[in-house]
Amino acid sequence: MADSARVDAWIWAVRFAKTRSAATEACRAGHVRINGERAKPAQRVRSGDEVRVRVAGIERIAVVQQTISKRVSASVAATCMIDLTPPPPPAAERELVPQRDRGAGRPTKRDRREIERLRGRGGPPH
């Protein structure tokens, strides 16, 4: 294969992004880093580079093994990188977000203060 490829094409080819345009937008939004530096969509990626991509709130970390610019099967894409992404925390350890009942309307001032206190941003309790 080639010795370098565009980073947006590589992200799309190894299936970090669903579409090429989504990969390009991630680069423009600053969600892609190559060796710690923000990457533009046309920046070249080479073997050995560390690529960090933030997709759907999850940071994916990979070391480029092989540069590709065409989308391939998932099994072939897995051989083109070393995935260093840490596993997600178990469901029991994830942060709980309070949910309001559907149709309950806007929170009252008292409800809002309770929510802020739960999130750790509230003032002293009354």
Side-chain angles (χ1 to χ4, degrees):
M1 297 273 169
D3 61 342
S4 70
R6 286 176 57 117
V7 69
D8 61 344
W10 187 83
I11 289 169
W12 168 70
V14 296
R15 299 172 175 263
F16 279 176
K18 287 187 178 186
T19 63
R20 173 89 182 263
S21 60
T24 303
E25 281 303 313
C27 291
R28 287 190 182 134
H31 299 299
V32 178
R33 294 188 173 274
I34 299 174
N35 299 324
E37 300 291 322
R38 270 181 76 167
K40 293 183 178 180
Q43 188 169 336
R44 306 305 276 183
V45 67
R46 292 175 176 71
S47 290
D49 285 346
E50 181 191 67
V51 178
R52 291 175 178 256
V53 182
R54 189 153 193 80
V55 180
I58 300 169
E59 186 173 47
R60 303 279 311 262
I61 305 167
V63 175
V64 179
Q65 286 283 96
Q66 186 176 23
T67 56
I68 56 174
S69 56
K70 298 291 181 189
R71 197 161 173 104
V72 292
S73 67
S75 58
V76 174
T79 64
C80 295
M81 64 178 169
I82 300 171
D83 196 357
L84 302 175
T85 306
E93 293 180 15
R94 290 188 191 133
E95 189 175 318
L96 295 176
V97 178
Q99 297 288 324
R100 290 183 52 81
D101 293 330
R102 191 173 171 103
R106 287 180 57 169
T108 63
K109 191 178 241 184
R110 173 186 262 172
D111 293 339
R112 182 184 53 79
R113 287 181 177 155
E114 285 181 27
I115 291 168
E116 293 296 319
R117 192 168 12 93
L118 285 172
R119 290 183 177 165
R121 293 185 250 170
H126 293 107

